[in-house]
Each structure stands twice: as structure tokens, then as C-alpha cells.
Amino acid sequence: MQAYRASLLRFDAAGQPIFDEDGLLLVGPDAAGRQRVQDAGAFASVSARHPDAVVTHWPGRIIAPGFVDMHIHFPQTDIIGAPSEGLLPWLENYTFPAESRFAEPAHAAEVAEVFFDELLRNGVTTSLTFATSHPASVQAFFEAAQHRSLRMITGKVLQDRHSPDGVRDETEQSLIDTESLIRRWHGVDRLGYAITPRFAPTSTDAQLRGAGELATKYPDTWIHSHVAENKDEVKWARELFPGARSYLDVYQGFGLMRERAVYAHCIHFDDDDRRLMRATGTAAAVSPTSNLFLGSGFFDFEGADRIGCAYGLASDVGGGTSFSPFSTMLAAYYVGREGQTKPGVSIAPSQLWWRHTGAAARALGLEGVIGNLQPGCEADFLVLDPKATPMLARKTARAESLEELLFAMIVLGDDRLVERTVISQASGT
Ligand code: GUN
Ligand code: ZN
């Protein structure tokens, strides 16, 4: 058993932070050899329970759960920061040309390595990830993630219409490819498959129907798509699917809403949409840097909380502007100001942090597995250095509460704050 001594951040089942100023995290293999948290808490009590543990001491550091990014596009790593008047021209001018290169396995493999390096430098240990429509992109992603022992989810993008040559796929073959990738990769080590229609406007009815059938046949796969991000997109979806009550309802009609279904953005919603999310157990991936960058709009946090929808935070790189969870949490704080009706200071820092760790894990159906450091969780964790920059050192030294400490890191932090990212290994790796 290995034990790590530093300040320790965890969350309880209600999403409230638990902070041990002098904490101890005890890590050891489970019956299958996977490294998990065996015990966690105050140094004095945990060390007394495990007198033989080998203790590594990180004075002045904070151990925290690895972040969970609920929606990101690995093939858009190189188009981060591409200016555009809005979503649809951005897709046409930057995204589709960049993604068309992922038919080439060597290119996909090279970008996958850059992507994982960047995630880990920024403290993200799991992401629900778009690949491209090319099976080679999925293959490259899973091979690289497996090599690094990561818990990662991706899937081949389905887009058989309204898409240019180079990214458009073919209905029947796209579903055959999806099923063979599920059989090849879903549940292998810590890898999971997401059935991934890009968004309703770029799939035919037949493709969406086929995706829904696969989602029923493989109920523990994820479903991953976009919805209600941009007003022009919403208008287009409504024109293409006039029989649906709303854009979101298109997905419900094809059997694409259930537990483990995750939709990015969910901005232009009404309460019936929110109730449909709740009733089906579908989760929203809130992507504030992307929404601000592309001028898409503001996620309604109060509306989601009022109805009780599951949601967590996401970068949405390359629409999003940063891999850093600190940037995403700060942008969520800004967005939380918009449309705020209750008095207060937008979203509490600990709640921003929870939405990017434990709540995101819960929304993915992975509570108790990742996103927290309670006993039983896989040992994916971060060592944060609150003195990583001069301003962080000044601000964190002056923090008088946990909320002030977390907020200092959210506002001033970036990849320099993440001194080390520790990934749970399986025996033999
Ligand atoms: N909607 C359909 N495709 C995309 C994409 O690649 N990024 C974003 N942000 N929205 C989308
Ligand atoms: Zn996206």
C-alpha cells in the first residue's frame, strides 16, 4: 500500500467538499490489481489505521481528484482559437477541413498523443470525447489511451448528410463500423464506447434510428451528441424535423435519450426539455468557454437546478478555448452571473469544482469510480501546488476559508498549478 500525505480534497454524496488540511490518501490494488483509494482522511486517523503504509509526503501541496471533461473533440486540438461569426460557419471553414485529415491513421495517432499530453498536463484524467467519422481516429485514440492506462470514452462520429466530402459517412457502413468498434473496444481495460451522432442536422433518419437501435442493444455504452447550442442550428433542426416538439425531442424520438446519454450545450431549452432530460436520465455537458467564444449563448444553471437535470462541465475544445479546467470553471462562474435571479455570488467555487469532478462522473454513470477520492474510487488524482506562480502564492496564502482557497485557484490557476497527475495503474503495467 502507498500513502500520500498532503492537504486532501474530496466530496461527499451531496457534492459538499471535505477538506483535510493535513490529509492522507491510501492507495492499493483491488482484487483485479487496479489501484484504488483504500482509505482517505485526516493524517492522524488514517495513518493510525495503516501503520505499515509507505508514506510519500508532499508538504504544501493539495491532493485533489482528477478532473472529468464531459465533452471535448480530440481532432479539434489544432483548431483551438479559430475565429468565426458562429457555429455553422466555424464548422464549415475550420472544423470539417481539419477533421477530414483523420482518415489518415498516422495523423490521428500523432494528434492523439498531443491531446493526451495536454489533458494530463491540465489535470484531466477522463474525457467523453468526440473522434471523427473515420474509424481510424477511434482506433488511434483507444490505442493511445490504453497504452497510458487511462479511463477514456470516445466513438466514431455519425454524419451521413449535410457534411462535405472527407467527413461524410455512409449510413449502413457507419452503423456496421460503430458496432464493430463497440465490440472491439467497449469495456476493454478502462475504455468505453460512445455512440456519437454529430448532431441531428447531419444525420438522416435512418442513421439516427440505427444509432438508437445500437444504444438499446448495448445499454452500457454512452450516447454523445450536441443539442440547442446556437439559434441558427436550432432553426435548422426544427425545419429538418418538423414533427418533433423541440430539437431535443428529435433525439428522444430515435431512442437516443437514456442514462449515459450526454448532450453538449443544452442552451436554448424550455422547461419541457429540462423535464425530458430529467425523466430519461440524460445529462448536459456545459461548455462555457466554447459558448462564449462562439457567441452561442448562456447555459441556464438555475433552470437546470430548478428542474433537477444532471450536468457537469466540459471544455468543448476546439470550440472551447482551453484544456484547463480552471478556465472552464471560471467561465462557468461568469455564465452563472447571466440570468441569475437569486441574490448571491454566482456559483460557489466548491460547486464549480464538484461539477468538473464528482458531478461529471455521476452524470456519466461513473460515480464511485472516478471524479472523487473516496474509498473505492480509482486512484486518478492530482497534486496541486498552490504556490505555483507568484500571484497564486500570494492569494492562496491569504485565503481564510476553503471557498476562498478554491476560488483563488479557479481564478488564477492554469496548467502550472498541476504539479503532477497520477494515473491508476493495473497490475503488470
Ligand atoms: N455541433 C456539431 N458539431 C459540432 C462541433 O464540432 N462543435 C460544436 N461546438 N458544436 C457542434
Ligand atoms: Zn462539441
Side-chain angles (χ1 to χ4, degrees):
M1 294 258 228
Q2 270 290 330
Y4 303 97
R5 181 178 184 182
S7 296
L8 176 61
L9 177 67
R10 294 171 290 151
F11 291 90
D12 69 14
Q16 292 305 308
I18 308 169
F19 191 68
D20 294 291
E21 188 85 42
D22 183 13
L24 192 66
L25 184 74
L26 197 86
V27 172
D30 63 14
R34 163 69 51 200
Q35 294 288 329
R36 290 182 191 273
V37 177
Q38 304 291 343
D39 201 350
F43 175 78
S45 44
V46 178
S47 61
R49 288 197 286 272
H50 308 277
D52 298 333
V54 184
V55 178
T56 304
H57 194 188
W58 287 314
R61 306 300 195 269
I62 301 167
I63 297 173
F67 288 105
V68 177
D69 191 328
M70 283 190 66
H71 173 72
I72 185 167
H73 300 249
F74 99 83
Q76 295 177 11
T77 299
D78 292 323
I79 57 156
I80 196 166
S84 179
E85 64 202 78
L87 172 68
L88 300 176
W90 176 82
L91 286 173
E92 194 176 319
N93 297 327
Y94 291 102
T95 313
F96 293 152
E99 291 193 8
S100 69
R101 296 188 60 201
F102 285 73
E104 178 51 54
H107 179 66
E110 192 261 332
V111 177
E113 295 299 340
V114 174
F115 176 80
F116 288 126
D117 285 347
E118 207 53 34
L119 280 190
L120 295 173
R121 266 178 359 88
N122 282 285
V124 177
T125 48
T126 292
S127 64
L128 174 61
T129 320
F130 261 63
T132 66
S133 56
H134 316 94
S137 70
V138 176
Q139 189 72 17
F141 181 95
F142 277 139
E143 281 172 5
Q146 185 179 39
H147 190 67
R148 295 177 190 234
S149 288
L150 298 173
R151 181 169 282 288
M152 284 286 159
I153 309 168
T154 197
K156 182 205 122 50
V157 176
L158 299 165
Q159 52 181 124
D160 66 350
R161 68 166 170 169
H162 299 140
S163 305
D165 292 350
V167 294
R168 192 179 57 257
D169 60 11
E170 190 275 316
T171 315
E172 200 179 339
Q173 189 61 42
S174 73
L175 299 168
I176 292 169
D177 288 342
T178 297
E179 186 157 20
S180 29
L181 287 165
I182 292 171
R183 288 170 179 269
R184 168 69 184 86
W185 288 108
H186 185 63
V188 173
D189 294 339
R190 293 205 290 166
L191 307 174
Y193 194 87
I195 297 164
T196 309
R198 177 161 216 122
F199 61 159
T202 50
S203 286
T204 59
D205 284 25
Q207 194 176 49
L208 292 172
R209 194 172 308 112
E213 285 164 7
L214 287 170
T216 303
K217 184 168 173 188
Y218 298 97
D220 66 345
T221 57
W222 283 265
I223 298 168
H224 189 193
S225 191
H226 298 91
V227 74
E229 174 178 7
N230 165 287
K231 287 199 168 135
D232 294 334
E233 170 217 15
V234 173
K235 185 163 167 280
W236 192 24
R238 285 177 168 278
E239 284 162 14
L240 292 169
F241 299 95
R245 190 201 72 81
S246 67
Y247 181 1
L248 182 69
D249 187 48
V250 173
Y251 295 115
Q252 169 70 351
F254 289 106
L256 289 165
M257 295 188 70
R258 60 154 164 77
E259 300 274 334
R260 295 197 168 195
V262 176
Y263 288 86
H265 311 302
C266 304
I267 294 171
H268 306 287
F269 265 13
D270 60 19
D271 276 355
D272 284 345
D273 291 321
R274 295 186 187 97
R275 280 189 278 270
L276 181 58
M277 296 287 285
R278 185 189 58 198
T280 54
T282 301
V286 182
S287 309
T289 72
S290 170
N291 300 156
L292 296 170
F293 183 69
L294 291 172
S296 303
F298 304 94
F299 181 79
D300 184 349
F301 288 97
E302 279 192 7
D305 290 339
R306 179 166 40 77
I307 305 288
C309 305
Y311 66 91
L313 294 179
S315 67
D316 191 29
V317 162
T321 50
S322 176
F323 280 83
S324 175
F326 303 105
S327 285
T328 302
M329 292 188 285
L330 181 57
Y333 181 83
Y334 296 149
V335 169
R337 288 257 188 229
E338 175 75 24
Q340 181 183 336
T341 55
K342 292 188 210 120
V345 291
S346 184
I347 306 163
S350 63
Q351 294 312 290
L352 294 166
W353 210 292
W354 160 247
R355 290 289 171 190
H356 222 336
T357 53
R362 181 181 287 177
L364 290 172
L366 293 172
E367 184 169 26
V369 180
I370 53 166
N372 209 340
L373 292 175
Q374 299 287 42
C377 288
E378 294 171 350
D380 292 333
F381 63 91
L382 313 177
V383 181
L384 304 176
D385 176 9
K387 296 189 174 52
T389 69
M391 274 306 291
L392 271 167
R394 286 183 71 82
K395 252 329 258 189
T396 56
R398 284 164 175 73
E400 289 182 356
S401 65
L402 176 61
E403 293 295 335
E404 287 186 10
L405 174 66
L406 296 177
F407 208 23
M409 292 192 282
I410 290 170
V411 173
L412 298 172
D414 56 29
D415 52 319
R416 291 169 292 181
L417 185 51
V418 182
E419 186 171 82
R420 197 186 288 255
T421 301
V422 180
I423 297 300
S424 167
Q425 302 293 320
S427 56
T429 59

